[in-house]
Amino acid sequence: MRDIMGMMGKVKEMQAKMEKMQAEIAELHAEGKSGGGLITVVLNGKGEMQSLKIDPSLFKEDDVEILEDLIVAAHKDAKDKAEAAAAEKTKALTAGLPIPPGFKMPF
């Protein structure tokens, strides 16, 4: 019976740590660039775009497709960085737990 109570305490402790970690991840900011810095995208930890900067030299009628591709590439770069930072925080929290490789936490 004491084992169950101890386990319940650990579950509550883990839940509190997970909630704190989710809040920290939501506050992360990741900056992605493409085109040698001509396009810059900033995402938060949830993957939501916070800002977009476009170098004025890209505003030419003939370069619309290039501009679109660069924006997508910068967004992907920022998203990859945000996911890597979130994975690192999750790894630190779940150290020692038997979690299968490739398992993503629900956030």
Side-chain angles (χ1 to χ4, degrees):
M1 188 67 137
R2 288 174 51 185
D3 290 336
I4 291 174
M5 294 304 287
M7 192 165 77
M8 291 300 290
K10 289 189 184 272
V11 167
K12 287 187 179 196
E13 182 182 321
M14 178 64 84
Q15 185 178 17
K17 286 181 180 179
M18 288 293 288
E19 288 172 1
K20 181 181 178 201
M21 183 184 64
Q22 286 175 335
E24 288 174 4
I25 288 173
E27 295 297 317
L28 287 174
H29 284 85
E31 184 178 279
K33 295 185 180 208
S34 67
L38 295 173
I39 303 288
T40 302
V41 172
V42 176
L43 301 180
N44 67 13
K46 294 180 181 180
E48 298 166 341
M49 191 181 301
Q50 300 296 299
S51 69
L52 169 67
K53 292 182 183 168
I54 303 171
D55 188 280
S57 68
L58 292 174
F59 290 109
K60 298 177 185 162
E61 238 178 89
D62 300 340
D63 295 338
V64 172
E65 287 181 32
I66 294 170
L67 181 59
E68 291 168 347
D69 290 343
L70 288 172
I71 291 170
V72 169
H75 185 275
K76 182 184 180 324
D77 184 39
K79 188 167 188 207
D80 291 345
K81 289 177 182 176
E83 287 176 353
E88 193 63 35
K89 284 192 172 288
T90 303
K91 182 179 175 183
L93 178 69
T94 60
L97 293 177
I99 296 176
F103 179 79
K104 288 192 172 189
M105 299 301 245
F107 44 81

